[in-house]
Amino acid sequence: MNNPIPSSTPHDALATDAEDMLNPSHIHQPWSALRQFTDARIALGRAGQSLPTNAHLQFQWAHAQARDAVHIPLDVASIEQPLQALGIETLALHSAAPDRRSYLQRPDWGRKLDEASGATLQRWRAQHADGAQPDVCIVVADGLSPLAIHSNALAFIQLLLERLRNDTPTWQVAPVCVVQQGRVAVGDDIGERLAAKLVIVLIGERPGLSSPDSLGIYMTWAPRVGCTDAQRNCISNVRSAGLALKDAAYKLHGLMRQARTLQLTGVGLKDDAPSFIAE
């Protein structure tokens, strides 16, 4: 389940080129050298009216990876235990979708918590009734790629919290909530129940045929049930072959500071960070 995903582009490109040379029936694409710069399926050549065998097998492999990314279960312990070892409080929650099949067929169930999770948050609020209102709540949800969570979420949270520790005024951070069968809007439900000022949702994005491990990050000020996508900011394609974790943490940190100052997110919050390169 946690095996690393083999790189597909340079070696596959060379393999297909070799296949073209060995098999005279293959019609070579003169611009195939450009494939080394992108994961996109370009210049695949053809054999008669079909794809070359190697390109066809690569497509099937990528499709299998995407299906696996959607259906593998979220390993909650692999997220909670390392965070708890660092002294970070966590809460394991579940959406109203009881299983993966229901989650895929009923998106609305993935946007709200089940009764047991609601009670968990209610108990936490009761135990911290005298505490300050959380400035931010980080939510980790499997979304459509638990693989993306396994690959990226833990390291990203550590990078982000390291940045937040240096801020003045300080950030009051709620427990990290790990949600099974969760969609983006489940963060609104959690943020409202915890009375958090800002909610950050880390979620596995819908797998493409070259990116089964892509993490999405959504940020919403004053989260509450019924918020629309226009009220969120999104950072997408966070993964080793996309936007690097440290650059995504840098970008999100800048947006969080702006959101706290302006008390808004979404279309009203413009990204004016000088670059994607971390300081």
Side-chain angles (χ1 to χ4, degrees):
M1 180 177 66
N2 292 325
N3 291 338
I5 300 170
S7 173
S8 61
T9 302
H11 298 296
D12 292 343
L14 291 173
T16 303
D17 290 343
E19 188 181 19
D20 288 345
M21 289 186 288
L22 292 172
N23 191 336
S25 67
H26 289 181
I27 299 174
H28 182 70
Q29 295 292 333
W31 44 297
S32 61
L34 296 177
R35 292 214 310 275
Q36 64 182 302
F37 301 112
T38 176
D39 287 340
R41 284 179 164 73
I42 61 172
L44 298 179
R46 60 187 173 90
Q49 296 181 341
S50 302
L51 284 173
T53 300
N54 192 55
H56 179 66
L57 292 176
Q58 288 173 29
F59 180 89
Q60 289 185 312
W61 167 244
H63 187 253
Q65 285 184 306
R67 289 178 62 88
D68 286 349
V70 171
H71 290 286
I72 62 173
L74 179 65
D75 187 351
V76 175
S78 72
I79 305 298
E80 284 196 297
Q81 291 176 359
L83 291 175
Q84 292 169 357
L86 296 172
I88 299 169
E89 187 178 5
T90 66
L91 295 173
L93 306 174
H94 204 291
S95 78
D99 51 46
R100 199 60 172 168
R101 178 182 292 272
S102 303
Y103 171 82
L104 295 174
Q105 293 177 341
R106 291 291 303 266
D108 54 324
W109 288 356
R111 299 182 185 120
K112 56 186 179 183
L113 294 174
D114 64 8
E115 291 186 7
S117 298
T120 297
L121 296 184
Q122 189 174 17
R123 284 195 299 274
W124 188 90
R125 284 286 294 163
Q127 294 167 358
H128 300 79
D130 298 332
Q133 179 184 8
D135 293 309
V136 59
C137 175
I138 299 173
V139 175
V140 180
D142 44 10
L144 288 171
S145 176
L147 175 65
I149 298 300
H150 297 155
S151 303
N152 303 299
L154 183 60
F156 179 81
I157 291 172
Q158 294 180 69
L159 287 169
L160 179 62
L161 293 180
E162 185 177 332
R163 285 186 168 278
L164 296 183
R165 288 191 190 99
N166 298 323
D167 275 353
T168 303
T170 58
W171 292 86
Q172 183 76 22
V173 182
V176 174
C177 297
V178 184
V179 186
Q180 291 178 277
Q181 316 298 0
R183 294 185 183 267
V184 172
V186 78
D188 300 335
D189 194 359
I190 295 170
E192 183 175 3
R193 292 175 190 260
L194 294 179
K197 298 175 184 174
L198 183 69
V199 68
I200 306 296
V201 178
L202 313 182
I203 192 165
E205 295 183 328
R206 183 186 305 276
L209 288 176
S210 60
S211 56
D213 59 340
S214 181
L215 181 74
I217 304 169
Y218 292 82
M219 179 179 75
T220 308
W221 181 262
R224 62 191 180 283
V225 174
C227 282
T228 68
D229 288 343
Q231 296 169 270
R232 314 187 200 284
N233 292 84
C234 176
I235 300 172
S236 183
N237 195 32
V238 180
R239 60 192 180 102
S240 59
L243 180 63
L245 296 180
K246 63 181 179 61
D247 292 337
Y250 165 73
K251 177 66 66 178
L252 178 62
H253 182 219
L255 287 170
M256 289 175 66
R257 291 197 289 192
Q258 291 183 66
R260 183 160 67 171
T261 299
L262 301 175
Q263 299 192 3
L264 59 82
T265 51
V267 296
L269 182 64
K270 302 304 180 186
D271 178 12
D272 60 359
S275 100
F276 281 94
I277 305 301
E279 296 167 333

